[in-house]
Every structure is written in C-alpha cells, then in structure tokens.
Amino acid sequence: MISEKMQKALNDQINAEFFSAYLYLAMAAYFEEKNLPGFAHWMEVQYEEETMHAMKMYRYVVDRGGRAQFKAIEEPQKDWDSPLAAFEATYEHEQYITSRINDLMKLASELSDFTTQSFLKWYLDEQVEEEANVDEIVQSFHLMGNDSRGLFMLDRELKLRQASPDPTAP
Ligand code: OFO
C-alpha cells in the first residue's frame, strides 16, 4: 500500500505529465500552422510519449492500492517567437520535469519507499534521453543559423521520428 504523501506527489506528477502532453500538442499545432510538418510530427510523437508517462504512473498508483486523482490541466502557451524558441522552451521544460522526478525520488527515499524508488528509476533514465534529444535539436538550429534550406532539411529529418515502444504494454 502506498503512503498518502507519496500518492499525492505521484498524482501531482501525473498532472505534470499530462500538462507536458498538452504543451507539446500545442507546439504541434503551432508548427502545423507554420507549414513545418516534420516539427509538428516530432511534437505529436512527444505528446504521445508524455501521455504514456502519465498512464504508466497512473497504473502504478492503482496497482499499489492507491487512488489516482485528477486536477485541471493548465492551459499551455499557444505561440512561440520562432521554431528555435519552441525547442528551447521544450528543453527548459524537460529540465524542470527532471527536477520534479528528482524531488519524487528524494521523497520516496525519505519515506523508505523502496518500491517507488525502483519505479521512478525508469523516469530518471527517460529524462536523460528526453533532455539529450531536445538539446541535439537546439544545437542543430544553432549550427544552421538563418539558412532556410537547413530548416527544411531539419523538418524532413524530424518527420522520421518514431514513437518509442510503450513499456506499459503487455
Ligand atoms: Fe514525461 O518527460 Fe517530458 O515532460
């Protein structure tokens, strides 16, 4: 059985993961409007991954005999100054999410909740990948500068992104 304190913190994180999904879907819509289908696709895959992160946590809370509870999801930003600004905002957001997972790990450790620590290990590893992927894209923007052909090529490259396998699937 999960403690009340840990359950509340995980429920807050479920909300944060759904907000991430919403934010990236808002970015996908922004890129669709800018006629950048590859960037839009990348963000749509990101949206799907965030939904999976939320559902994986939901399943854990339920499986530990807890109660998943939902709060309103904050409205995400709608516009960004440029494609680069959207990816920089993504990088910043992922760093924030990493700090939240670290705080959850700290709480689980203070509560001697070893099962939740083991569960959260997956998220810690996932955040390394999340940050690295976005940082790589931000660096590509810096390398191409104002070259519109570069933007076209990067858009085509990001169109190839495939969703990661769902670790919650049976
Ligand atoms: Fe769920 O990792 Fe991004 O936010």
Side-chain angles (χ1 to χ4, degrees), residues 127-139:
Q127 283 310 120
V128 172
E129 199 187 307
E130 294 268 281
E131 285 191 29
N133 287 346
V134 184
D135 188 37
E136 200 177 305
I137 297 168
V138 169
Q139 294 316 316

Side-chain angles (χ1 to χ4, degrees), residues 92-109:
E92 210 171 290
H93 183 69
E94 286 308 322
Q95 287 176 305
Y96 163 67
I97 294 294
T98 301
S99 75
R100 290 189 61 109
I101 302 289
N102 284 337
D103 288 347
L104 284 173
M105 194 61 144
K106 200 165 151 226
L107 179 64
S109 160

